[in-house]
């Protein structure tokens, strides 16, 4: 059994679909943090068979919950404060700000400097987000 | 403060009110001749469009207002690298209302974000062209007496044809409108329109390739041009540009009271022989476009 230190204060992202931990790591810009981050890949899970886990030392201000909700709203977010665990429920965020970029070369975001990348959830069932400016669709599977 | 970026920015009731106002302007132009005295319209056209720009300018002049602006990116500070956000902040100081055309999709939405005056989307790339839609709707309503219960055939470039996207999105809000989408497979409507607009609202439509097969069932035939500027690859453009040409012989298959619309400019997709047919209404459409733009300017400036 792999041993990763228990967190007293931090965030544990559990039940990440196996293989998605690095994507989430990049989306959350965890490489830019100075704190300890543990990436556990392919951990055994009764519920999922295999799963990934991310452990981040520090407060909730380090991660954007909207990003986690966008990647997978079924991820379990455990917030640990002084050893006490609080579970946070995720939903698909209605809007994404500067999380993903529009890939439509005809979109104004491709040339306008300093413009925020904004995507709006247009189909909750299919998890479709569209660029606020040009309506180009983006889905997680892209 | 309101803008018009997408035809759906106005709900059905507001759209009908605007079309009523446009009809009143058509019938009583004198009553509106000084409504915009002392007001200025800025036409910011980052790509050439003589027709739409002149239509906006004529609309403002008919209302007693004045006009300033530029007609290509080369003659604006965009050529020096100025952003849309900065340009609109500056122009907001000079004008009471702005009409913007831009080759990039969503540029007028960016302008609206930073503007202190109402912004009208006068066409943004292959995305939206709401004032053309209002003109199309006024024309259909004037010709048919209603925007309900008819079959419209949209023919040509349905992929990049922004007037088509805007028109479909607007007409689905009226009951009994059926769509026949006529295009080569490469130029079919985008998924966003098929899925989010037509399928999502259970609208009756079909997609076909041959105009001749469906023309007898149409009440309105909306022709479009295959636009060279929307293609990255010239070979694709050349292959598809002559796919549909409406001729007198094809028109002979149509109903006697079917009307032909076209957002113009036409290249060769409607044979000039068709112009003399009373069903050809594309020049009427141009005239009505001025009235709807007048109505829109008055509405956004709260002058009605």
């Amino acid at each position: 059994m792999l041993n990763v230190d228990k967190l007293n204060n931090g965030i544990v992202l559990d039940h990440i679909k196996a293989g998605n931990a690095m994507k989430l790591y990049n989306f959350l810009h965890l490489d830019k943090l100075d704190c300890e981050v543990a990436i556990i890949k392919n951990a055994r899970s009764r519920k999922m068979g295999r799963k990934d886990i991310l452990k981040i030392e520090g407060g909730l201000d380090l991660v954007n919950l909207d990003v986690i909700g966008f990647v997978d709203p079924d991820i379990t977010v455990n917030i640990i404060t002084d050893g006490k665990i609080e579970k946070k429920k995720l939903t698909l965020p209605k809007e994404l700000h500067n999380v993903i970029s529009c890939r439509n070369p005809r979109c104004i975001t491709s040339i306008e400097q300093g413009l925020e990348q904004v995507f709006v959830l247009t189909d909750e069932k299919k998890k479709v987000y569209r660029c606020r400016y040009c309506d180009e669709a983006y889905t997680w599977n892209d | 403060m309101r803008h018009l970026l997408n035809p759906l920015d106005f709900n059905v009731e507001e759209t009908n009110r605007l079309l009523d106002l446009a009809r009143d302007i058509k019938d009583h132009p004198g009553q509106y001749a000084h409504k915009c005295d002392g007001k200025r319209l800025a036409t910011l056209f980052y790509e050439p469009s003589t027709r739409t720009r002149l239509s906006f300018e004529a609309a403002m002049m008919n209302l007693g207002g004045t006009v300033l602006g530029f007609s290509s990116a080369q003659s604006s500070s965009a050529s020096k690298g100025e952003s849309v956000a900065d340009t609109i902040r500056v122009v907001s100081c000079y004008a009471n209302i702005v009409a913007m055309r831009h080759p990039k999709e969503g540029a007028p939405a960016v302008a609206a974000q930073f503007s202190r005056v109402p912004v009208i989307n006068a066409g943004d790339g292959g995305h939206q062209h709401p004032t053309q839609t209002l003109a199309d709707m006024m024309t259909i309503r004037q010709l048919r007496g209603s925007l309900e219960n008819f079959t419209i055939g949209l023919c040509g470039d349905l992929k990049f044809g922004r007037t088509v996207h805007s028109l479909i999105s607007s007409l689905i809000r009226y009951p009994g409108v059926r769509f026949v989408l006529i295009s080569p497979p490469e130029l079919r409507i985008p998924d966003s329109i098929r899925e989010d607009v037509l399928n999502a609202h259970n609208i009756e439509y079909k997609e076909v390739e041959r105009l001749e097969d469906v023309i007898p069932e149409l009440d309105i035939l909306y022709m479009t041009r295959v636009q060279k500027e929307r293609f990255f690859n010239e070979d694709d453009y050349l292959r598809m540009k002559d796919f549909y040409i409406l001729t007198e012989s094809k028109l002979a298959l149509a109903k006697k009271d079917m009307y032909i619309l076209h957002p113009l400019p036409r290249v060769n997709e409607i044979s000039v022989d068709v112009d003399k047919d009373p069903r050809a209404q594309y020049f009427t459409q141009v005239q009505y476009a001025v009235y709807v733009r007048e109505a829109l300017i008055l509405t956004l400036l709260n002058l009605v």
Side-chain angles (χ1 to χ4, degrees):
Chain A
M1 184 71 182
L2 185 72
N3 194 18
V4 177
D5 279 352
K6 194 177 161 189
L7 281 175
N8 247 342
N9 287 292
I11 305 149
V12 178
L13 306 179
D14 199 357
H15 301 114
I16 302 169
K17 195 175 150 198
N20 274 357
M22 281 313 292
K23 284 182 192 171
L24 196 54
Y25 181 90
N26 291 326
F27 265 117
L28 289 170
H29 304 295
L30 297 182
D31 55 321
K32 305 228 163 52
L33 299 182
D34 293 329
C35 60
E36 279 185 18
V37 177
I39 304 164
I40 302 164
K41 293 187 71 176
N42 295 322
R44 286 184 201 89
S45 162
R46 261 180 294 174
K47 197 164 116 187
M48 304 171 72
R50 293 279 174 183
K51 65 177 180 180
D52 290 354
I53 302 167
L54 279 174
K55 289 188 173 193
I56 307 152
E57 182 198 32
L60 194 57
D61 55 323
L62 296 176
V63 295
N64 182 344
L65 288 179
D66 281 351
V67 173
I68 307 169
F70 165 66
V71 172
D72 182 357
D74 294 328
I75 289 172
T76 306
V77 179
N78 298 304
I79 297 154
I80 302 156
T81 315
D82 298 327
K84 284 183 187 157
I85 301 172
E86 182 201 341
K87 284 195 190 301
K88 192 107 188 162
K89 189 146 177 56
L90 292 174
T91 52
L92 272 181
K94 299 283 177 227
E95 284 194 0
L96 293 169
H97 291 253
N98 289 330
V99 176
I100 47 175
S101 299
C102 186
R103 280 172 294 186
N104 174 7
R106 297 180 183 87
C107 180
I108 185 66
T109 55
S110 67
I111 57 162
E112 180 87 354
Q113 285 182 11
L115 191 63
E116 199 179 30
Q117 294 272 354
V118 184
F119 278 75
V120 181
L121 180 65
T122 56
D123 188 333
E124 204 163 337
K125 232 178 185 173
K126 293 182 189 160
K127 213 178 155 187
V128 177
Y129 284 85
R130 290 195 183 278
C131 171
R132 174 187 276 176
Y133 303 103
C134 74
D135 292 321
E136 180 81 357
Y138 188 106
T139 58
W140 172 235
N141 296 331
D142 288 350
Chain B
M1 183 176 62
R2 291 195 71 176
H3 309 281
L4 181 70
L5 305 175
N6 182 310
L8 304 185
D9 290 346
F10 284 176
N11 63 28
V12 171
E13 195 186 315
E14 290 168 328
T15 303
N16 290 342
R17 210 180 304 140
L18 190 120
L19 297 179
D20 288 343
L21 176 60
R23 185 174 54 199
D24 199 57
I25 292 169
K26 168 185 165 287
D27 294 340
H28 310 100
Q31 287 179 17
Y32 296 88
H34 296 285
K35 287 273 188 188
C36 279
D37 282 355
K39 302 286 183 194
R40 274 195 210 117
L41 165 75
T43 52
L44 310 185
F45 277 58
Y46 289 80
E47 67 176 4
S49 165
T50 317
R51 184 177 326 277
T52 306
R53 187 170 56 82
L54 292 183
S55 178
F56 268 107
E57 293 182 2
M60 193 54 164
M61 288 173 187
N62 286 348
L63 297 168
T66 52
V67 178
L68 73 169
F70 53 81
S71 57
S72 76
Q74 285 71 38
S75 58
S76 80
S77 48
S79 63
K80 298 175 192 160
E82 188 177 52
S83 65
V84 169
D86 281 2
T87 302
I88 200 72
R89 283 184 183 115
V90 170
V91 173
S92 292
C93 303
Y94 306 150
N96 304 94
I97 187 164
V98 167
M100 175 185 279
R101 166 160 295 193
H102 201 288
K104 290 290 183 184
E105 300 174 8
V110 174
Q113 225 172 289
F114 295 94
S115 180
R116 291 194 288 116
V117 299
V119 173
I120 301 169
N121 179 359
D124 58 337
H127 188 219
Q128 297 285 354
H129 194 355
T131 57
Q132 179 66 49
T133 304
L134 292 171
D136 299 341
M137 292 170 81
M138 180 179 180
T139 310
I140 296 169
R141 197 167 83 149
Q142 291 294 119
L143 293 170
R144 292 188 47 80
S146 156
L147 285 168
E148 299 177 7
N149 303 315
F150 67 97
T151 298
I152 180 167
L154 298 136
C155 180
D157 175 6
L158 309 187
K159 184 177 182 182
F160 299 113
R162 58 191 164 197
T163 59
V164 169
H165 308 162
S166 296
L167 187 57
I168 294 173
S169 304
S170 291
L171 286 178
I172 61 153
R173 302 180 298 174
Y174 293 83
V177 182
R178 187 174 158 262
F179 296 88
V180 180
L181 307 169
I182 310 146
S183 71
E186 297 91 334
L187 294 177
R188 281 188 186 156
I189 51 160
D191 285 347
S192 58
I193 300 291
R194 188 180 299 103
E195 295 298 325
D196 298 351
V197 180
L198 293 168
N199 290 340
H201 295 89
N202 290 321
I203 304 297
E204 190 183 343
Y205 72 97
K206 64 177 171 183
E207 296 186 87
V208 298
E209 281 185 48
R210 275 170 52 89
L211 174 60
E212 298 89 317
D213 295 344
V214 290
I215 199 168
E217 61 191 88
L218 306 179
D219 299 307
I220 297 283
L221 172 58
Y222 193 93
M223 295 293 293
T224 64
R225 174 172 63 100
V226 175
Q227 298 174 80
K228 189 178 181 182
E229 61 269 31
R230 303 283 168 242
F231 286 83
F232 284 134
N233 181 337
E234 184 152 7
D235 289 344
D236 285 348
Y237 165 71
L238 292 173
R239 191 161 47 81
M240 282 182 253
K241 75 181 175 63
D242 294 334
F243 215 92
Y244 298 107
I245 297 175
L246 180 63
T247 57
E248 277 182 307
S249 60
K250 284 182 194 164
L251 193 54
L253 303 169
K255 288 179 188 171
K256 296 286 169 231
D257 61 350
M258 183 200 78
Y259 296 108
I260 308 156
L261 272 58
H262 190 303
L264 303 180
R266 155 183 62 176
V267 181
N268 62 349
E269 59 278 10
I270 300 178
S271 159
V272 287
D273 300 338
V274 171
D275 293 354
K276 58 182 183 293
D277 191 296
R279 290 172 287 186
Q281 291 291 331
Y282 24 91
F283 294 111
T284 310
Q285 209 178 340
V286 174
Q287 182 62 63
Y288 288 169
V290 179
Y291 302 133
V292 288
R293 287 182 176 120
E294 286 182 51
L296 179 63
I297 291 168
L298 291 175
T299 303
L300 294 180
L301 289 176
N302 293 317
L303 293 173
V304 281

